[in-house]
């Protein structure tokens, strides 16, 4: 039986496998997905997970629940040797083995791009996975509890200071949602004042949200600043040692939480560990029909989509443009991939990927948002409702749609839940503390002998 191997179970990988399951005939091919996580993360919901507007589990779509005919392997592909039609997989227990394939689909997804900034690795947290979004929310709630028990002063100010680095969609949405949550929480903490909250958004470029035009981007900056946020443009993070933030502008302050959202980098297996063609950015060279290679030198039986693929944007008027690495394209590329693989398998005609943008929409906190489609710009509550409407339709499966919509309706009636479960990140601490110190081995042996 023909082996179709999909590297990565994110948007593009999930939709490719899902589409293949619907179209493959019995015995025609076996589909395998390799991913270290057992779910696909619906990343547009992560900012709302940080604010408690979406339950963490609802931003994760189980692969096993929806891919019934696909073989799922928990692990990471560490090397691709297309000359041998083989990949190396590192399983969750650390062991490695080889998998062979007939058709390869690379949808590994990007990784967080970082820089050698002092203190960054020790202090910062990303916003790319559900676990990170949950941790950010719990840290903020815990910081409020701790600050409320302290007298006014430097330590209390540090606990109530949050810094986001990166002004793209993840950074701006996360910043706006967390600022909205923190402001709302003040009603439950009479010990704390609005003036003690300090939220900073740091962006190296002269503007935020590069997907929107200059005027709407400037409006977002003014909007966030009116709500008490501090937006630092043309500014870089210089140091974060022990939570002491130093900016290239010369400004310094202590921050208990630093969230790093300053862009993505191609997956290391694509950038460094493959014999497939990559461009100067470390992305796979992809044709318009999503085959790897060029028109003159295609790579047989190898396809790619998503963040690690330099897919030509046929809908753009700019010569040589590539599709933006976002969910809107990844989902549609996955669907096109499934159809093209089936067509190629059966000797049919494959089609080129073409998608005109539906516009961009961002949440800026509860009841606040911005939407732009060409020259049309919508702000405030209508844009926020458009954001929620679009994403409840876009999240895969009716089961997830209903769950997310139910949480939103419940929150509208009763408000957001403000309970912190930060201790869940260290579940054994309470048990170890209550159990007390473990006696030496010889003492335990004596106890057994006495019995």
């Amino acid at each position: 039986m023909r082996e179709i191997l999909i590297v990565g179970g994110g948007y593009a990988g999930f939709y490719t496998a899902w589409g293949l399951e619907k179209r493959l005939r019995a015995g025609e091919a076996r589909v395998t997905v390799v991913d270290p996580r057992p779910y696909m993360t619906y990343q547009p919901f992560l900012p709302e997970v940080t604010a408690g507007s979406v339950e963490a589990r609802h931003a994760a779509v189980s692969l096993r629940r929806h891919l019934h005919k696909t073989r799922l392997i928990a692990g990471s592909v560490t090397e691709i040797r297309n000359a041998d039609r083989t990949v190396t997989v590192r399983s969750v227990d650390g062991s490695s083995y080889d998998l062979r394939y007939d058709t390869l689909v690379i949808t590994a997804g990007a990784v967080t791009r970082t820089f050698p900034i002092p203190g960054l690795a020790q202090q910062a947290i990303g916003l790319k996975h559900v676990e990170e979004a949950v941790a950010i929310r719990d840290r903020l709630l815990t910081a409020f509890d701790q600050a409320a028990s302290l007298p006014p002063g430097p330590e209390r100010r540090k606990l109530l200071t949050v810094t986001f680095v990166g002004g793209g969609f993840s950074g701006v949405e996360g910043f706006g949602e967390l600022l909205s949550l923190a402001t709302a929480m003040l009603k439950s903490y009479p010990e704390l004042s609005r003036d003690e909250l300090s939220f900073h958004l740091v962006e190296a470029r002269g503007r935020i949200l590069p997907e929107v035009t200059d005027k709407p981007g400037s409006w977002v900056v003014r909007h966030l600043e009116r709500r008490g946020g501090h937006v630092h443009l043309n500014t870089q993070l210089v140091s974060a040692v022990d939570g002491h933030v130093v900016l290239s502008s010369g400004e310094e302050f202590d921050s208990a939480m630093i969230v790093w959202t300053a862009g993505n980098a191609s997956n290391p297996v694509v950038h460094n560990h493959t014999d497939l063609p990559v461009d100067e950015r470390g992305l796979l060279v992809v044709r318009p029909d999503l085959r790897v290679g060029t028109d003159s030198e295609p790579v047989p039986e190898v396809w790619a989509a998503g963040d690690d693929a330099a897919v030509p944007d046929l809908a753009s008027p700019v010569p040589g443009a590539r599709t933006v690495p976002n969910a809107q394209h990844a989902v549609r590329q996955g669907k096109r991939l499934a159809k093209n693989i089936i067509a190629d398998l059966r000797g049919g005609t494959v089609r080129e990927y073409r998608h005109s943008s539906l516009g961009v929409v961002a949440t800026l906190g509860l009841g606040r948002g911005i939407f732009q489609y060409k020259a049309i710009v919508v702000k405030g509550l209508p844009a926020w409702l458009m954001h929620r409407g679009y994403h409840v339709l876009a999240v895969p499966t009716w089961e997830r749609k209903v769950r997310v919509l139910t949480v939103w309706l419940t929150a509208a009636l009763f408000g957001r839940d403000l309970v912190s479960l930060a201790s869940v990140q260290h579940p054994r601490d309470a048990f170890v503390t209550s159990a007390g110190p473990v006696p030496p081995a010889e003492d335990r042996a004596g106890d057994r002998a006495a019995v």
Side-chain angles (χ1 to χ4, degrees), residues 37 39 41-60 125-141 164 170 173-174 177-178 181 257 259-261 419-422 424-425:
R37 288 179 169 80
Y39 56 82
T41 302
Y42 191 73
Q43 291 186 351
F45 279 159
L46 294 187
E48 293 199 66
V49 171
T50 66
S53 300
V54 171
E55 289 291 333
R57 288 184 178 86
H58 300 168
I125 184 171
L127 185 52
K128 195 171 182 62
H129 302 291
V130 175
E131 299 90 339
E132 293 172 323
V134 172
I136 290 170
R137 179 174 185 271
D138 285 340
R139 286 186 186 185
L140 181 70
L141 295 176
F164 274 72
S170 294
E173 289 189 311
E177 285 286 347
L178 212 62
L181 173 62
M257 182 156 59
V259 184
W260 181 267
T261 62
V419 176
S420 170
L421 296 177
V424 78
Q425 297 169 43

Side-chain angles (χ1 to χ4, degrees), residues 1-9 13-14 16-18 20-21 24 29-38 63-75 77 85-87 89 97-105:
M1 185 183 297
R2 190 172 191 80
E3 292 284 347
I4 301 175
L5 177 62
I6 301 175
V7 179
F14 174 82
T16 299
W18 210 16
L20 288 173
E21 280 197 355
L24 283 171
R30 179 172 69 169
V31 180
T32 299
V33 173
V34 180
D35 195 282
R37 288 179 169 80
L63 298 181
R64 289 194 178 274
R65 183 181 177 92
H66 302 291
L67 300 179
H68 306 292
K69 304 175 185 177
T70 299
R71 180 174 62 153
L72 300 172
I73 296 178
V77 171
R85 296 294 176 97
T86 304
V87 302
V89 177
Y97 58 92
D98 290 343
L99 278 181
R100 293 191 59 80
Y101 60 84
D102 297 299
T103 299
L104 179 65
V105 180

Side-chain angles (χ1 to χ4, degrees), residues 44 46 89 99 101 159 203 205 235 237 291 293 301-302 308 329 359 364 396 398 400 422:
L46 294 187
V89 177
L99 278 181
Y101 60 84
L159 287 168
E203 169 55 45
R205 292 167 294 188
T235 305
L237 177 66
R291 295 179 191 267
E301 303 295 342
V302 182
D308 287 319
H329 281 296
L364 302 175
W398 279 103
R400 274 295 178 267

